Amino acid sequence: MSRPAETLRRVREEVNRLHAELLRWGLVAWTSGNVSARVPDADLMVIKPSGLGYADLTPDTMVVTDLHGTVVEGEHAPSSDTASHAYVYRAMPHVNGIVHTHSPYATAWAARNEAVPCAITAMADEFGGEIPLGPFALIGGDEIGRGIVATLSGHRSPAVIMRGHGVFTIGADAQAAVKAAVMCEDVARTVHLARVHGPLQPLPEHHVDALYERYQNVYGQHDDPQGARP
Ligand SMILES: O=C(CO)[C@@H](O)[C@@H](O)COP(=O)(O)O
């Protein structure tokens, strides 16, 4: 196979695998949600076919489109959110993966038209502050994509709570966008439960900054086994 064909196959397999992760982490029901990935070195993306059940998804059912949402390869109609994913990829060159879910606790914040306040260290770590609230937009065009870009541009959070709808996350790759969706639901649940039983105490900004820097640059394993840090 030519390199582009090999690359497309690899991206198809990865996007298919990550859809199974949405199910595994309880972030989607029935056919809701979707994942896409930008194809390296090509103005293309791979996205979920619209309305297919998760049990029916395979690498071959994934749809390849250009970055304006026109189908290039695939036998199924692409996701309802294709135009919005494409808009984000065009507007945010650093983004190579996008996820959409209706995960219950995060979507409850969307129903209340509220951002998720940064009241716990896990939010500072992953989101660098609150998870912001984006505008309501109808489905099918690029309006949702425009709202994602307007809300997340210049913001540290890789997740946005879209009013009355659900979660969209972005990442340097699709795996990172899935992680952001998992962590978004995790912290949305914790902070929701906290607020049910009393007022929230958002973390001071200087603590949020310190936590974010550590988590993004120090946390976990690094090449230097001695743990030397930048
Ligand atoms: O909420 C929306 C679109 O934003 C749903 O239609 C979406 O979760 C699933 O749509 P698709 O199956 O990807 O077309």
Side-chain angles (χ1 to χ4, degrees):
M1 278 192 280
S2 67
R3 185 180 176 283
E6 287 166 13
T7 301
L8 271 182
R9 167 50 59 180
R10 179 171 50 76
V11 178
R12 283 177 173 276
E13 288 169 352
E14 177 68 350
V15 171
N16 182 64
R17 179 186 73 83
L18 291 171
H19 277 93
E21 287 294 285
L22 299 189
L23 211 54
R24 186 164 78 90
W25 287 96
L27 303 182
V28 293
W30 203 243
T31 63
S32 72
N34 44 64
V35 178
S36 74
R38 190 195 300 265
V39 177
D41 306 320
D43 288 337
L44 299 173
M45 69 178 190
V46 175
I47 193 164
K48 172 190 166 221
S50 184
L52 254 64
Y54 280 77
D56 299 324
L57 296 179
T58 67
D60 288 334
T61 61
M62 297 301 146
V63 184
V64 182
T65 78
D66 67 17
L67 296 188
H68 290 272
T70 303
V71 175
V72 168
E73 185 184 280
E75 294 169 10
H76 295 85
S79 167
S80 315
D81 296 314
T82 297
S84 286
H85 286 232
Y87 184 90
V88 173
Y89 286 128
R90 296 198 308 273
M92 304 179 104
H94 62 288
V95 172
N96 297 300
I98 301 168
V99 169
H100 169 45
T101 80
H102 299 163
S103 62
Y105 281 89
T107 303
W109 287 90
R112 292 195 301 265
N113 288 346
E114 287 189 82
V116 183
C118 186
I120 53 178
T121 60
M123 286 199 65
D125 289 347
E126 176 70 24
F127 303 97
E130 72 169 14
I131 299 174
L133 183 68
F136 177 79
L138 291 176
I139 295 165
D142 67 6
E143 293 83 358
I144 290 175
R146 292 174 183 274
I148 294 167
V149 171
T151 308
L152 293 185
S153 293
H155 204 293
R156 290 192 298 204
S157 174
V160 55
I161 304 282
M162 297 298 280
R163 283 173 189 264
H165 185 171
V167 178
F168 281 83
T169 65
I170 58 176
D173 56 28
Q175 169 86 13
V178 168
K179 177 194 175 190
V182 171
M183 295 308 292
C184 177
E185 177 63 7
D186 180 60
V187 301
R189 176 171 58 236
T190 303
V191 178
H192 166 83
L193 294 175
R195 193 168 77 173
V196 163
H197 298 292
L200 294 171
Q201 305 294 332
L203 296 176
E205 273 305 311
H206 66 285
H207 286 165
V208 174
D209 292 343
L211 289 160
Y212 182 73
E213 285 309 310
R214 188 200 75 86
Y215 186 78
Q216 299 297 323
N217 297 301
V218 176
Y219 174 73
Q221 300 303 314
H222 295 263
D223 294 342
D224 175 357
Q226 300 310 315
R229 304 301 188 206

